Amino acid sequence: MIAVSKSAIKFNPFAPGFREDPYTTYHLLRQQKSIHYALDMWILTKYQDIIQVIDSDAVSVSFIPQYVTQQKVGNIPGLVELGKKAIVFTDPPDHIRLRRLVGQAFNSSTIQAYTSHIQKLIDNFIGLKIGTEEFDFAEIAHQIPLYTLAHILGIPNEYIKTVDQYIHRVRSILEPSLLTKMRIRRIEQDLQLCLTLFQEVIDSRKNHLGEDIISKLIQARVGEDRLSDSELGIACVMTFVAGHETSKGLLTNGILAFAKHPDQWQILRDGQATSKQAIDEILRFDPPLQQTVRLAISDLQVGSQTIKKGDKMLLCLASANRDEEHFPNPDAFNIIRDATSQIAFGHGMHNCLGQGIARLEGKLLFDYLRQRVKQIELTSSDYRWNQEGFITRTLTYLPVTFHDS
């Protein structure tokens, strides 16, 4: 744990050591300043307060698009359209319309149909690593969701590495604290390249519909309503933006947790807990999505604090998942506990539409490993957290050895 002064506790993600251990800070904030003003926004850290805000009609998810346009960086039509048409940035009624259409392609039966393909990916990437020397699991955890999403959408193999490069930079749109004017311009360029690439695939698919998600998005209807070409392209972009890093985080953060808690790995191997229980606890204990932003569109009261119209709020989801008032002994990694109420993928109307893909990848990975791996050994303390932002928490380097049964 990092050392934090109790007399001067305040949310500061730029503080040394915060990326390595944000949970000490979250704990002290919940105890002393569960709602406080810092970095030009209200910081919320307690479970019930965050649930109240997420469920409130007095808040909007449109802060990031508004912030980007206020920077006056010139012509950015792609980002303007993204702000209007991406589910993650829209409020009702636009959000409800888009979710009904896009949700037809991301239903459970569609996702489950890709089980055997994901199983083959996992075996191809991991099978030869079991029982061998140290390897970097973070690199494998990057590849599994990348190739899963590409296959599910029906993206040609020759486009995958290009999409990965563009999306990596476009993803920084989710980090408002890092959005300089230069970065916004670069995101616009990469977004346009992404949209052009996806439009080629969409145009081709219209003439040759298949069982992939792009085909299902093209065919989605609510009465006479359907997704426009720009909405189809943005849905493809956001599938990668929202789906890749969070899936990678679930896999890496889960392997790290099991490596540090071998008793919990044994519980999973012995069948005392299901993979679903393990995934819920991983998401609660060390969620890949740490924070989310809201904008007050009218005054609201949260606890004893009045939040005024126009105020920004940072909802610390990872802190809510460790709230002592909601989860007993929250700093313990315990896959037998009931962690179903964790909010790592959001809550209510804005819960992650594509979380079924991440959960399936996690289930198949841990089911695969529990049958083949006796011990997950962390071979160095020099594992590294992603330094490019604070909203997400994923590992860029995780040296491990998988000892076979």
Side-chain angles (χ1 to χ4, degrees), residues 329-368:
N329 195 17
D331 293 327
F333 180 60
N334 175 14
I335 65 173
I336 296 178
R337 81 161 79 231
D338 181 2
T340 54
S341 59
Q342 54 78 25
I343 53 174
F345 283 122
H347 169 76
M349 180 191 305
H350 279 281
N351 71 322
C352 178
L353 189 62
Q355 67 175 286
I357 300 173
R359 285 181 173 276
L360 180 61
E361 290 170 322
K363 177 184 184 304
L364 295 176
L365 173 72
F366 294 120
D367 281 347
Y368 180 87

mmCIF file of all heavy atoms in Angstrom, residues 329-368:
data_model
loop_
_atom_site.group_PDB
_atom_site.id
_atom_site.type_symbol
_atom_site.label_atom_id
_atom_site.label_comp_id
_atom_site.label_asym_id
_atom_site.label_seq_id
_atom_site.Cartn_x
_atom_site.Cartn_y
_atom_site.Cartn_z
ATOM 1 N N ASN A 329 -15.579 -6.842 4.534
ATOM 2 C CA ASN A 329 -14.165 -7.159 4.326
ATOM 3 C C ASN A 329 -13.777 -6.936 2.856
ATOM 4 O O ASN A 329 -13.276 -7.848 2.177
ATOM 5 C CB ASN A 329 -13.885 -8.609 4.733
ATOM 6 C CG ASN A 329 -12.396 -8.890 4.890
ATOM 7 O OD1 ASN A 329 -11.589 -7.970 5.005
ATOM 8 N ND2 ASN A 329 -12.032 -10.160 4.865
ATOM 9 N N PRO A 330 -13.964 -5.728 2.348
ATOM 10 C CA PRO A 330 -13.875 -5.496 0.901
ATOM 11 C C PRO A 330 -12.482 -5.626 0.303
ATOM 12 O O PRO A 330 -12.355 -5.841 -0.903
ATOM 13 C CB PRO A 330 -14.386 -4.060 0.752
ATOM 14 C CG PRO A 330 -14.067 -3.410 2.056
ATOM 15 C CD PRO A 330 -14.259 -4.491 3.082
ATOM 16 N N ASP A 331 -11.436 -5.486 1.127
ATOM 17 C CA ASP A 331 -10.087 -5.566 0.578
ATOM 18 C C ASP A 331 -9.574 -6.999 0.444
ATOM 19 O O ASP A 331 -8.450 -7.216 -0.011
ATOM 20 C CB ASP A 331 -9.118 -4.748 1.442
ATOM 21 C CG ASP A 331 -9.421 -3.253 1.369
ATOM 22 O OD1 ASP A 331 -9.862 -2.793 0.305
ATOM 23 O OD2 ASP A 331 -9.224 -2.569 2.383
ATOM 24 N N ALA A 332 -10.409 -7.958 0.837
ATOM 25 C CA ALA A 332 -10.051 -9.370 0.678
ATOM 26 C C ALA A 332 -10.573 -9.874 -0.665
ATOM 27 O O ALA A 332 -11.718 -9.605 -1.045
ATOM 28 C CB ALA A 332 -10.647 -10.196 1.809
ATOM 29 N N PHE A 333 -9.725 -10.598 -1.372
ATOM 30 C CA PHE A 333 -10.126 -11.250 -2.622
ATOM 31 C C PHE A 333 -10.723 -12.602 -2.261
ATOM 32 O O PHE A 333 -10.016 -13.502 -1.808
ATOM 33 C CB PHE A 333 -8.915 -11.407 -3.541
ATOM 34 C CG PHE A 333 -9.223 -12.065 -4.865
ATOM 35 C CD1 PHE A 333 -10.133 -11.506 -5.749
ATOM 36 C CD2 PHE A 333 -8.586 -13.250 -5.235
ATOM 37 C CE1 PHE A 333 -10.406 -12.108 -6.971
ATOM 38 C CE2 PHE A 333 -8.850 -13.861 -6.444
ATOM 39 C CZ PHE A 333 -9.768 -13.285 -7.322
ATOM 40 N N ASN A 334 -12.022 -12.735 -2.441
ATOM 41 C CA ASN A 334 -12.746 -13.916 -1.959
ATOM 42 C C ASN A 334 -13.789 -14.317 -2.997
ATOM 43 O O ASN A 334 -14.868 -13.728 -3.071
ATOM 44 C CB ASN A 334 -13.404 -13.605 -0.617
ATOM 45 C CG ASN A 334 -14.268 -14.746 -0.110
ATOM 46 O OD1 ASN A 334 -14.194 -15.868 -0.612
ATOM 47 N ND2 ASN A 334 -15.104 -14.467 0.878
ATOM 48 N N ILE A 335 -13.480 -15.335 -3.803
ATOM 49 C CA ILE A 335 -14.360 -15.677 -4.922
ATOM 50 C C ILE A 335 -15.625 -16.400 -4.482
ATOM 51 O O ILE A 335 -16.532 -16.609 -5.303
ATOM 52 C CB ILE A 335 -13.616 -16.500 -5.996
ATOM 53 C CG1 ILE A 335 -13.180 -17.865 -5.456
ATOM 54 C CG2 ILE A 335 -12.430 -15.727 -6.540
ATOM 55 C CD1 ILE A 335 -12.600 -18.783 -6.521
ATOM 56 N N ILE A 336 -15.723 -16.739 -3.212
ATOM 57 C CA ILE A 336 -16.939 -17.388 -2.729
ATOM 58 C C ILE A 336 -17.998 -16.350 -2.325
ATOM 59 O O ILE A 336 -19.180 -16.664 -2.269
ATOM 60 C CB ILE A 336 -16.612 -18.330 -1.543
ATOM 61 C CG1 ILE A 336 -15.704 -19.467 -2.022
ATOM 62 C CG2 ILE A 336 -17.868 -18.924 -0.934
ATOM 63 C CD1 ILE A 336 -15.287 -20.428 -0.930
ATOM 64 N N ARG A 337 -17.585 -15.121 -2.082
ATOM 65 C CA ARG A 337 -18.541 -14.100 -1.668
ATOM 66 C C ARG A 337 -19.556 -13.824 -2.780
ATOM 67 O O ARG A 337 -19.324 -14.129 -3.962
ATOM 68 C CB ARG A 337 -17.831 -12.811 -1.288
ATOM 69 C CG ARG A 337 -17.445 -11.960 -2.478
ATOM 70 C CD ARG A 337 -17.157 -10.513 -2.098
ATOM 71 N NE ARG A 337 -15.847 -10.313 -1.514
ATOM 72 C CZ ARG A 337 -15.655 -9.678 -0.373
ATOM 73 N NH1 ARG A 337 -16.680 -9.174 0.291
ATOM 74 N NH2 ARG A 337 -14.428 -9.526 0.097
ATOM 75 N N ASP A 338 -20.687 -13.204 -2.422
ATOM 76 C CA ASP A 338 -21.671 -12.752 -3.401
ATOM 77 C C ASP A 338 -21.266 -11.361 -3.870
ATOM 78 O O ASP A 338 -21.457 -10.370 -3.167
ATOM 79 C CB ASP A 338 -23.065 -12.723 -2.783
ATOM 80 C CG ASP A 338 -24.137 -12.271 -3.785
ATOM 81 O OD1 ASP A 338 -23.786 -12.032 -4.961
ATOM 82 O OD2 ASP A 338 -25.304 -12.139 -3.379
ATOM 83 N N ALA A 339 -20.693 -11.284 -5.065
ATOM 84 C CA ALA A 339 -20.241 -10.002 -5.620
ATOM 85 C C ALA A 339 -21.087 -9.574 -6.809
ATOM 86 O O ALA A 339 -20.656 -8.747 -7.612
ATOM 87 C CB ALA A 339 -18.772 -10.104 -6.022
ATOM 88 N N THR A 340 -22.300 -10.132 -6.919
ATOM 89 C CA THR A 340 -23.125 -9.853 -8.099
ATOM 90 C C THR A 340 -23.554 -8.393 -8.197
ATOM 91 O O THR A 340 -23.893 -7.919 -9.280
ATOM 92 C CB THR A 340 -24.378 -10.744 -8.111
ATOM 93 O OG1 THR A 340 -25.075 -10.593 -6.863
ATOM 94 C CG2 THR A 340 -24.016 -12.200 -8.311
ATOM 95 N N SER A 341 -23.531 -7.656 -7.080
ATOM 96 C CA SER A 341 -23.970 -6.253 -7.126
ATOM 97 C C SER A 341 -22.827 -5.295 -7.441
ATOM 98 O O SER A 341 -23.011 -4.074 -7.403
ATOM 99 C CB SER A 341 -24.630 -5.864 -5.799
ATOM 100 O OG SER A 341 -23.734 -6.029 -4.716
ATOM 101 N N GLN A 342 -21.624 -5.828 -7.755
ATOM 102 C CA GLN A 342 -20.528 -4.942 -8.165
ATOM 103 C C GLN A 342 -20.934 -4.156 -9.419
ATOM 104 O O GLN A 342 -21.785 -4.593 -10.196
ATOM 105 C CB GLN A 342 -19.245 -5.749 -8.403
ATOM 106 C CG GLN A 342 -19.376 -6.910 -9.376
ATOM 107 C CD GLN A 342 -19.387 -6.513 -10.826
ATOM 108 O OE1 GLN A 342 -18.853 -5.473 -11.200
ATOM 109 N NE2 GLN A 342 -20.001 -7.335 -11.654
ATOM 110 N N ILE A 343 -20.333 -2.988 -9.600
ATOM 111 C CA ILE A 343 -20.750 -2.105 -10.702
ATOM 112 C C ILE A 343 -19.584 -1.806 -11.646
ATOM 113 O O ILE A 343 -19.459 -0.713 -12.194
ATOM 114 C CB ILE A 343 -21.382 -0.808 -10.179
ATOM 115 C CG1 ILE A 343 -20.464 -0.107 -9.157
ATOM 116 C CG2 ILE A 343 -22.741 -1.096 -9.556
ATOM 117 C CD1 ILE A 343 -20.985 1.273 -8.724
ATOM 118 N N ALA A 344 -18.716 -2.802 -11.844
ATOM 119 C CA ALA A 344 -17.553 -2.608 -12.708
ATOM 120 C C ALA A 344 -17.941 -2.291 -14.149
ATOM 121 O O ALA A 344 -17.216 -1.587 -14.850
ATOM 122 C CB ALA A 344 -16.663 -3.842 -12.673
ATOM 123 N N PHE A 345 -19.070 -2.822 -14.609
ATOM 124 C CA PHE A 345 -19.540 -2.547 -15.964
ATOM 125 C C PHE A 345 -20.660 -1.512 -15.971
ATOM 126 O O PHE A 345 -21.453 -1.434 -16.910
ATOM 127 C CB PHE A 345 -20.035 -3.837 -16.631
ATOM 128 C CG PHE A 345 -18.918 -4.726 -17.104
ATOM 129 C CD1 PHE A 345 -18.811 -6.033 -16.643
ATOM 130 C CD2 PHE A 345 -17.974 -4.273 -18.009
ATOM 131 C CE1 PHE A 345 -17.791 -6.865 -17.088
ATOM 132 C CE2 PHE A 345 -16.945 -5.096 -18.455
ATOM 133 C CZ PHE A 345 -16.855 -6.401 -17.992
ATOM 134 N N GLY A 346 -20.725 -0.692 -14.933
ATOM 135 C CA GLY A 346 -21.774 0.305 -14.843
ATOM 136 C C GLY A 346 -23.008 -0.262 -14.174
ATOM 137 O O GLY A 346 -22.988 -1.338 -13.566
ATOM 138 N N HIS A 347 -24.104 0.476 -14.323
ATOM 139 C CA HIS A 347 -25.333 0.114 -13.619
ATOM 140 C C HIS A 347 -26.513 0.702 -14.370
ATOM 141 O O HIS A 347 -26.415 1.771 -14.975
ATOM 142 C CB HIS A 347 -25.281 0.663 -12.185
ATOM 143 C CG HIS A 347 -26.577 0.595 -11.447
ATOM 144 N ND1 HIS A 347 -27.064 -0.583 -10.924
ATOM 145 C CD2 HIS A 347 -27.492 1.550 -11.164
ATOM 146 C CE1 HIS A 347 -28.223 -0.338 -10.329
ATOM 147 N NE2 HIS A 347 -28.502 0.946 -10.462
ATOM 148 N N GLY A 348 -27.634 -0.010 -14.319
ATOM 149 C CA GLY A 348 -28.874 0.518 -14.870
ATOM 150 C C GLY A 348 -28.818 0.709 -16.374
ATOM 151 O O GLY A 348 -28.250 -0.097 -17.115
ATOM 152 N N MET A 349 -29.386 1.813 -16.831
ATOM 153 C CA MET A 349 -29.503 2.089 -18.257
ATOM 154 C C MET A 349 -28.154 2.078 -18.964
ATOM 155 O O MET A 349 -28.048 1.677 -20.124
ATOM 156 C CB MET A 349 -30.169 3.455 -18.456
ATOM 157 C CG MET A 349 -30.349 3.850 -19.897
ATOM 158 S SD MET A 349 -30.837 5.588 -20.049
ATOM 159 C CE MET A 349 -32.289 5.633 -19.014
ATOM 160 N N HIS A 350 -27.114 2.529 -18.269
ATOM 161 C CA HIS A 350 -25.804 2.664 -18.910
ATOM 162 C C HIS A 350 -24.846 1.542 -18.534
ATOM 163 O O HIS A 350 -23.630 1.720 -18.607
ATOM 164 C CB HIS A 350 -25.196 4.031 -18.586
ATOM 165 C CG HIS A 350 -25.732 5.134 -19.455
ATOM 166 N ND1 HIS A 350 -25.300 5.344 -20.740
ATOM 167 C CD2 HIS A 350 -26.693 6.057 -19.224
ATOM 168 C CE1 HIS A 350 -25.952 6.366 -21.264
ATOM 169 N NE2 HIS A 350 -26.809 6.811 -20.362
ATOM 170 N N ASN A 351 -25.377 0.390 -18.141
ATOM 171 C CA ASN A 351 -24.467 -0.742 -17.964
ATOM 172 C C ASN A 351 -23.941 -1.169 -19.326
ATOM 173 O O ASN A 351 -24.577 -0.948 -20.358
ATOM 174 C CB ASN A 351 -25.162 -1.909 -17.246
ATOM 175 C CG ASN A 351 -26.181 -2.601 -18.116
ATOM 176 O OD1 ASN A 351 -26.892 -1.962 -18.875
ATOM 177 N ND2 ASN A 351 -26.264 -3.900 -18.008
ATOM 178 N N CYS A 352 -22.759 -1.751 -19.336
ATOM 179 C CA CYS A 352 -22.066 -2.051 -20.588
ATOM 180 C C CYS A 352 -22.833 -3.073 -21.420
ATOM 181 O O CYS A 352 -23.059 -4.202 -20.972
ATOM 182 C CB CYS A 352 -20.661 -2.559 -20.288
ATOM 183 S SG CYS A 352 -19.736 -3.024 -21.757
ATOM 184 N N LEU A 353 -23.189 -2.678 -22.639
ATOM 185 C CA LEU A 353 -23.964 -3.552 -23.518
ATOM 186 C C LEU A 353 -23.154 -4.772 -23.949
ATOM 187 O O LEU A 353 -23.711 -5.854 -24.160
ATOM 188 C CB LEU A 353 -24.415 -2.759 -24.746
ATOM 189 C CG LEU A 353 -25.421 -3.418 -25.685
ATOM 190 C CD1 LEU A 353 -26.731 -3.704 -24.957
ATOM 191 C CD2 LEU A 353 -25.679 -2.521 -26.890
ATOM 192 N N GLY A 354 -21.853 -4.614 -24.071
ATOM 193 C CA GLY A 354 -21.026 -5.709 -24.561
ATOM 194 C C GLY A 354 -20.350 -6.517 -23.473
ATOM 195 O O GLY A 354 -19.435 -7.306 -23.767
ATOM 196 N N GLN A 355 -20.797 -6.367 -22.229
ATOM 197 C CA GLN A 355 -20.118 -7.079 -21.146
ATOM 198 C C GLN A 355 -20.220 -8.596 -21.284
ATOM 199 O O GLN A 355 -19.373 -9.327 -20.767
ATOM 200 C CB GLN A 355 -20.652 -6.640 -19.783
ATOM 201 C CG GLN A 355 -22.077 -7.009 -19.491
ATOM 202 C CD GLN A 355 -22.477 -6.632 -18.069
ATOM 203 O OE1 GLN A 355 -22.076 -7.288 -17.109
ATOM 204 N NE2 GLN A 355 -23.236 -5.557 -17.941
ATOM 205 N N GLY A 356 -21.233 -9.077 -22.009
ATOM 206 C CA GLY A 356 -21.366 -10.515 -22.217
ATOM 207 C C GLY A 356 -20.158 -11.106 -22.923
ATOM 208 O O GLY A 356 -19.775 -12.257 -22.663
ATOM 209 N N ILE A 357 -19.535 -10.318 -23.815
ATOM 210 C CA ILE A 357 -18.346 -10.802 -24.519
ATOM 211 C C ILE A 357 -17.188 -10.943 -23.543
ATOM 212 O O ILE A 357 -16.497 -11.973 -23.504
ATOM 213 C CB ILE A 357 -17.967 -9.850 -25.666
ATOM 214 C CG1 ILE A 357 -19.121 -9.737 -26.672
ATOM 215 C CG2 ILE A 357 -16.691 -10.337 -26.369
ATOM 216 C CD1 ILE A 357 -18.889 -8.683 -27.741
ATOM 217 N N ALA A 358 -16.967 -9.916 -22.732
ATOM 218 C CA ALA A 358 -15.879 -9.963 -21.752
ATOM 219 C C ALA A 358 -16.087 -11.099 -20.757
ATOM 220 O O ALA A 358 -15.144 -11.824 -20.411
ATOM 221 C CB ALA A 358 -15.784 -8.626 -21.013
ATOM 222 N N ARG A 359 -17.313 -11.258 -20.295
ATOM 223 C CA ARG A 359 -17.601 -12.321 -19.331
ATOM 224 C C ARG A 359 -17.378 -13.704 -19.953
ATOM 225 O O ARG A 359 -16.867 -14.611 -19.286
ATOM 226 C CB ARG A 359 -19.039 -12.191 -18.824
ATOM 227 C CG ARG A 359 -19.226 -11.050 -17.827
ATOM 228 C CD ARG A 359 -20.671 -10.993 -17.351
ATOM 229 N NE ARG A 359 -20.853 -10.033 -16.281
ATOM 230 C CZ ARG A 359 -20.620 -10.273 -14.991
ATOM 231 N NH1 ARG A 359 -20.179 -11.472 -14.615
ATOM 232 N NH2 ARG A 359 -20.815 -9.350 -14.073
ATOM 233 N N LEU A 360 -17.754 -13.856 -21.216
ATOM 234 C CA LEU A 360 -17.545 -15.145 -21.879
ATOM 235 C C LEU A 360 -16.054 -15.435 -22.025
ATOM 236 O O LEU A 360 -15.604 -16.563 -21.771
ATOM 237 C CB LEU A 360 -18.237 -15.158 -23.244
ATOM 238 C CG LEU A 360 -18.088 -16.465 -24.040
ATOM 239 C CD1 LEU A 360 -18.684 -17.647 -23.281
ATOM 240 C CD2 LEU A 360 -18.767 -16.332 -25.415
ATOM 241 N N GLU A 361 -15.278 -14.434 -22.414
ATOM 242 C CA GLU A 361 -13.829 -14.619 -22.526
ATOM 243 C C GLU A 361 -13.232 -15.013 -21.178
ATOM 244 O O GLU A 361 -12.389 -15.914 -21.087
ATOM 245 C CB GLU A 361 -13.178 -13.333 -23.031
ATOM 246 C CG GLU A 361 -13.478 -13.025 -24.484
ATOM 247 C CD GLU A 361 -13.034 -11.630 -24.881
ATOM 248 O OE1 GLU A 361 -13.160 -10.693 -24.081
ATOM 249 O OE2 GLU A 361 -12.557 -11.486 -26.019
ATOM 250 N N GLY A 362 -13.676 -14.314 -20.123
ATOM 251 C CA GLY A 362 -13.172 -14.639 -18.794
ATOM 252 C C GLY A 362 -13.549 -16.041 -18.363
ATOM 253 O O GLY A 362 -12.710 -16.796 -17.847
ATOM 254 N N LYS A 363 -14.797 -16.410 -18.577
ATOM 255 C CA LYS A 363 -15.263 -17.749 -18.187
ATOM 256 C C LYS A 363 -14.470 -18.827 -18.920
ATOM 257 O O LYS A 363 -13.994 -19.803 -18.307
ATOM 258 C CB LYS A 363 -16.753 -17.907 -18.497
ATOM 259 C CG LYS A 363 -17.299 -19.310 -18.183
ATOM 260 C CD LYS A 363 -18.744 -19.443 -18.606
ATOM 261 C CE LYS A 363 -19.297 -20.806 -18.197
ATOM 262 N NZ LYS A 363 -18.516 -21.948 -18.719
ATOM 263 N N LEU A 364 -14.320 -18.664 -20.222
ATOM 264 C CA LEU A 364 -13.627 -19.683 -21.006
ATOM 265 C C LEU A 364 -12.150 -19.757 -20.633
ATOM 266 O O LEU A 364 -11.557 -20.847 -20.593
ATOM 267 C CB LEU A 364 -13.791 -19.409 -22.498
ATOM 268 C CG LEU A 364 -15.238 -19.508 -23.016
ATOM 269 C CD1 LEU A 364 -15.311 -19.128 -24.488
ATOM 270 C CD2 LEU A 364 -15.815 -20.900 -22.792
ATOM 271 N N LEU A 365 -11.528 -18.603 -20.351
ATOM 272 C CA LEU A 365 -10.123 -18.619 -19.937
ATOM 273 C C LEU A 365 -9.953 -19.352 -18.614
ATOM 274 O O LEU A 365 -9.108 -20.255 -18.493
ATOM 275 C CB LEU A 365 -9.593 -17.192 -19.805
ATOM 276 C CG LEU A 365 -8.178 -17.116 -19.221
ATOM 277 C CD1 LEU A 365 -7.150 -17.607 -20.227
ATOM 278 C CD2 LEU A 365 -7.837 -15.709 -18.749
ATOM 279 N N PHE A 366 -10.741 -18.982 -17.608
ATOM 280 C CA PHE A 366 -10.548 -19.578 -16.290
ATOM 281 C C PHE A 366 -10.998 -21.036 -16.252
ATOM 282 O O PHE A 366 -10.407 -21.850 -15.526
ATOM 283 C CB PHE A 366 -11.236 -18.733 -15.225
ATOM 284 C CG PHE A 366 -10.610 -17.369 -15.063
ATOM 285 C CD1 PHE A 366 -11.348 -16.217 -15.275
ATOM 286 C CD2 PHE A 366 -9.274 -17.248 -14.737
ATOM 287 C CE1 PHE A 366 -10.766 -14.966 -15.154
ATOM 288 C CE2 PHE A 366 -8.675 -16.005 -14.610
ATOM 289 C CZ PHE A 366 -9.420 -14.859 -14.827
ATOM 290 N N ASP A 367 -12.014 -21.398 -17.032
ATOM 291 C CA ASP A 367 -12.388 -22.816 -17.135
ATOM 292 C C ASP A 367 -11.265 -23.623 -17.781
ATOM 293 O O ASP A 367 -10.994 -24.764 -17.387
ATOM 294 C CB ASP A 367 -13.677 -22.973 -17.960
ATOM 295 C CG ASP A 367 -14.928 -22.644 -17.162
ATOM 296 O OD1 ASP A 367 -14.829 -22.538 -15.921
ATOM 297 O OD2 ASP A 367 -15.998 -22.491 -17.776
ATOM 298 N N TYR A 368 -10.614 -23.034 -18.777
ATOM 299 C CA TYR A 368 -9.491 -23.692 -19.457
ATOM 300 C C TYR A 368 -8.322 -23.884 -18.492
ATOM 301 O O TYR A 368 -7.746 -24.986 -18.382
ATOM 302 C CB TYR A 368 -9.072 -22.834 -20.648
ATOM 303 C CG TYR A 368 -7.913 -23.366 -21.461
ATOM 304 C CD1 TYR A 368 -8.121 -24.262 -22.493
ATOM 305 C CD2 TYR A 368 -6.609 -22.940 -21.202
ATOM 306 C CE1 TYR A 368 -7.052 -24.736 -23.256
ATOM 307 C CE2 TYR A 368 -5.543 -23.403 -21.948
ATOM 308 C CZ TYR A 368 -5.767 -24.309 -22.983
ATOM 309 O OH TYR A 368 -4.705 -24.775 -23.730
#
